[in-house]
Amino acid sequence: MGKAAIADHGLLADGRSAALVDREGSVNWWCPERFDAPSVFCRLLDSDGGHWSIRPSDDRFEVRREYLPDTLVLRTVFSTAHGEVSVTDGLVLEPGSRGHQIARRSPGVLVRVVEGRSGTVPLTLTYRPRFEYGRRTAYLLPRNGTLVATAGPTTLTMTSPVPLTCSGPDASARFAIDAGQRRTFVLAYRPTYHDVPPAGLDARDPLGDTVEGWRSWTGLHDYQGRYPDLVRHNALVLQGLTYQPSGAVIAAATTSLPERIGGDRNYDYRFAWLRDFSMTLRALWVAACPDEATRLFRWVASAVGQVDGQPVPIMFGVEGERDLTERRIETLRGYAGSSPVVVGNEAWRQRQLDVLGEVMDAAWRLRDYLDPLPPEVRDLLSSLADQAATSWREPDAGMWEARDAQRHYLSSKVFCWAALDRAVRFGDRIGDAADLARWAAARDEARETILREGWNADRGAYTGAFGSDKLDASVLIMPIVDFLPATDDRMRATIRRVEEELSDDGLLRRWDTDPAAFTLCSFMLVHCLALAGERDRAAAMFDRIAGTANDLGLFAEQVDPGTGEQLGNFPQAFSHIGLIIAAWELTTTEPAAV
């Protein structure tokens, strides 16, 4: 398998797709058409899955890298015995993209700029396109000074300033860069049967417009709180995981990266979950960038449609597709041999009642930006409240998407309560007097039931499901959604017990059999400790968790507390959302200056 670990990668994004580049200058993942489209590079999941590398020819080199300030344009600097060279990588935004109009129509172009910084550095380029998750080997055809790779519906056009040598389906080059020299490589995607020429770029500064596009977005936001640099960067990552034509936020840029090496809990996260969408809106509200709330809620209303008493769909494709049927890709061996590799996600069939409260809570938080409520959003919120009123007593798959059996998960009940509570607060903006009375009655009954059935006297804590003795980090949402104050005796006992049994120095597992710590849950623990008045300890824990990010500030879904290895799909929106919300809670609970 490829040598690069999950955390070795940096994210490139253009508002429609994402690419991952490792520390040694290899692009190991790219699905150029859109986030969930078939890949052209997937070395991340198999050594022969395709990649494009530009790196020093001598294996002995040191690496430092960073994003250009306030962008997702990545610069990697290689220091060798012969000198120093940098490679600047970026996915090109739509020309002229600025502010919240970034990349609605991405050109599908990956640019790599190689610059000599000192000495003369020999470099090696290796280009191995493998289309449709490694299933199809491309034909390479030199044409008009370019190298065209075509397989079925996909065509890549490489423009190279150095001669490329073709060997079957692969190409390579050896060249040297002197101090002050620059070489620009451009790889453009297009559908084979669409006669669309590659986008034109400024030869002198091919990434300049893209850099300005990213910076124009970050320049619109003025977060006033603790950890401003971290919050700004994490909000930028969430923007990078947003499919701009619709506003859908994907859970992660990858599929099938394992929760445990050698395990089979490998899922496709390149889709939009209502849960992630709602938490993303909350995070962007914290980061002072809620301007697109109406557009995003309209997307949700359009995607959900008329539910007619049926369970609310919990996830969609980036343009609102509902059928996300899962299938295995047998040609790929999986990251570090962890199979299966899957495309699609069977969770789309599940009932997950927590999404009702997730969406309603996000709407309530952003209510000032949804005034007046668009009719389709008003109808959506009213239908969510109706669903919560009739469904809160039912079992479901829970927010961790259990595939074995439905249960009466406490977190699902609490979020149903939250949906009803926010609906009552919205008042006549979404319902008439009879609706409000019905929602209020269901809210009160749900609360009484949760307090009675959710508490386990033997464990001295609220447990993950009614009648269960198993602790579950999801119960930490109780104070976060204002169901109970963190200072309540039972809630304080629950936080303490969860920390004692599921935490390793602040890195929190979802349950006791979880193979690694779940980064979102870890930040939820910070949030709860801050709400409980333990601000100093919460801040120290925040620093510990934030420190598990890679050198570019990116998180996967999970982290091994023993080794620090990042696991699961990458980068994971949930993890970045958790940091932003926890940072804000540490800001709002900070004592006022005297």
Side-chain angles (χ1 to χ4, degrees):
M1 307 311 298
K3 295 184 294 183
I6 292 170
D8 283 342
H9 290 85
L11 169 72
L12 310 178
D14 60 11
R16 293 180 66 98
S17 69
L20 298 180
V21 187
D22 72 18
R23 292 177 56 82
E24 295 191 356
S26 179
V27 182
N28 293 333
W29 182 257
W30 189 28
C31 305
E33 184 176 3
R34 68 182 213 178
F35 291 114
D36 58 347
S39 64
V40 297
F41 302 130
C42 62
R43 189 188 194 187
L44 192 62
L45 297 176
D46 192 295
S47 58
D48 195 37
H51 71 284
W52 176 23
S53 69
I54 301 175
R55 50 163 287 173
S57 300
D58 188 338
D59 285 340
R60 292 168 294 181
F61 54 83
E62 295 181 355
V63 175
R64 64 182 188 274
R65 59 183 183 166
E66 62 183 359
Y67 285 114
L68 302 188
D70 292 331
T71 78
L72 292 180
V73 175
L74 177 63
R75 176 163 292 157
T76 303
V77 179
F78 299 101
S79 298
T80 77
H82 304 282
E84 197 169 77
V85 63
S86 69
V87 180
T88 303
D89 295 321
L91 286 177
V92 175
L93 299 180
E94 180 185 2
S97 295
R98 294 295 183 269
H100 292 286
Q101 302 301 316
I102 284 180
R104 303 260 174 118
R105 294 181 298 278
S106 165
V109 176
L110 173 57
V111 172
R112 314 194 73 183
V113 181
V114 182
E115 297 178 275
R117 299 166 71 97
S118 66
T120 299
V121 181
L123 297 167
T124 298
L125 179 152
T126 305
Y127 175 56
R128 294 176 177 169
R130 300 287 187 272
F131 298 164
E132 293 189 41
Y133 305 108
R135 285 175 165 153
R136 306 192 69 160
T137 301
Y139 295 100
L140 299 185
L141 177 66
R143 181 184 298 163
N144 299 326
T146 66
L147 183 63
V148 178
T150 296
T154 304
T155 293
L156 295 177
T157 301
M158 167 84 76
T159 302
S160 170
V162 301
L164 298 174
T165 299
C166 295
S167 177
D170 304 335
S172 62
R174 288 183 175 271
F175 62 103
I177 288 288
D178 296 328
Q181 283 188 325
R182 171 186 291 193
R183 299 285 185 269
T184 298
F185 299 82
V186 177
L187 186 61
Y189 158 81
R190 67 174 176 85
T192 299
Y193 303 108
H194 292 199
D195 188 18
V196 179
L201 298 172
D202 184 340
R204 295 169 300 176
D205 191 10
L207 290 173
D209 193 60
T210 294
V211 167
E212 291 306 311
W214 286 117
R215 288 176 177 167
S216 71
W217 186 85
T218 55
L220 293 175
H221 311 119
D222 185 25
Y223 168 76
Q224 299 294 322
R226 296 188 66 177
Y227 314 102
D229 292 340
L230 277 177
V231 169
R232 184 168 60 249
H233 175 67
N234 280 263
L236 187 64
V237 173
L238 294 180
Q239 180 73 352
L241 295 175
T242 301
Y243 183 75
Q244 291 297 332
S246 67
V249 181
I250 61 169
T254 57
T255 179
S256 302
L257 294 182
E259 297 180 8
R260 178 176 62 84
I261 301 301
D264 60 359
R265 290 177 57 86
N266 311 328
Y267 304 121
D268 192 347
Y269 278 7
R270 299 171 299 159
F271 306 113
W273 273 255
L274 291 188
R275 180 184 305 112
D276 298 54
F277 159 83
S278 302
M279 293 188 71
T280 299
L281 280 178
R282 183 174 182 182
L284 294 179
W285 175 81
V286 166
C289 41
D291 295 353
E292 294 201 302
T294 299
R295 182 172 79 95
L296 299 186
F297 266 102
R298 279 180 165 152
W299 175 80
V300 169
S302 174
V304 171
Q306 296 294 321
V307 294
D308 296 327
Q310 298 299 311
V312 172
I314 60 105
M315 61 185 293
F316 303 91
V318 294
E319 293 185 349
E321 301 89 347
R322 190 167 297 187
D323 186 345
L324 305 177
T325 299
E326 191 171 292
R327 68 185 191 278
R328 295 192 175 195
I329 305 297
E330 303 293 350
T331 52
L332 298 176
R333 290 170 287 179
Y335 175 85
S338 303
S339 61
V341 172
V342 299
V343 171
N345 194 308
E346 285 303 303
W348 76 276
R349 303 179 189 272
Q350 291 184 347
R351 177 195 296 271
Q352 296 177 21
L353 296 175
D354 67 290
V355 301
L356 307 175
E358 297 271 16
V359 175
M360 189 70 79
D361 184 62
W364 177 250
R365 188 170 297 275
L366 290 159
R367 60 193 178 277
D368 291 342
Y369 297 90
L370 295 170
D371 189 14
L373 281 173
E376 63 270 35
V377 176
R378 182 190 63 234
D379 292 344
L380 170 68
L381 299 181
S382 179
S383 68
L384 294 178
D386 284 339
Q387 283 260 337
T390 58
S391 302
W392 72 266
R393 301 174 187 83
E394 298 176 8
D396 73 332
M399 66 185 297
W400 307 136
E401 302 185 341
R403 294 196 175 192
D404 57 345
Q406 293 191 347
R407 299 176 178 85
H408 291 280
Y409 287 102
L410 182 141
S411 57
S412 296
K413 311 296 186 189
V414 169
F415 270 116
C416 283
W417 170 88
L420 294 163
D421 177 74
R422 280 34 164 195
V424 172
R425 294 193 203 185
F426 266 116
D428 61 9
R429 293 178 66 185
I430 67 169
D432 59 24
D435 292 326
L436 298 178
R438 179 164 45 85
W439 296 337
R443 174 198 61 188
D444 296 343
E445 184 184 356
R447 179 179 178 82
E448 292 173 4
T449 304
I450 293 165
L451 292 174
R452 182 179 66 251
E453 302 294 333
W455 177 256
N456 185 299
D458 292 336
R459 298 305 308 270
Y462 290 103
T463 53
F466 288 180
S468 172
D469 63 355
K470 299 296 185 183
L471 295 178
D472 188 322
S474 66
V475 303
L476 296 181
I477 59 95
M478 297 173 79
I480 292 174
V481 299
D482 299 324
F483 180 84
L484 275 180
T487 52
D488 173 89
D489 288 344
R490 286 188 170 186
M491 194 68 242
R492 191 185 289 276
T494 299
I495 295 169
R496 181 170 61 250
R497 184 58 58 87
V498 166
E499 183 178 5
E500 289 171 353
E501 297 194 21
L502 301 182
S503 172
D504 184 343
D505 193 19
L507 299 178
L508 191 67
R509 291 177 169 85
R510 289 172 292 181
W511 49 76
D512 59 7
T513 59
D514 220 8
F518 203 81
T519 303
L520 172 66
C521 294
S522 304
F523 283 122
M524 288 168 61
L525 179 57
V526 170
H527 195 159
C528 287
L529 291 176
L531 288 171
E534 300 184 53
R535 188 182 61 83
D536 291 342
R537 195 159 74 88
M541 190 177 292
F542 178 94
D543 292 339
R544 157 83 166 113
I545 301 162
T548 65
N550 74 359
D551 57 320
L552 296 172
L554 301 176
F555 294 100
E557 181 181 42
Q558 301 187 41
V559 60
D560 186 315
T563 65
E565 181 181 12
Q566 294 208 39
L567 297 165
N569 283 306
F570 178 88
Q572 177 83 5
F574 254 178
S575 302
H576 294 272
I577 290 165
L579 181 146
I580 293 171
I581 295 174
W584 181 245
E585 194 57 44
L586 288 169
T587 297
T588 58
T589 58
E590 191 170 48
V594 177

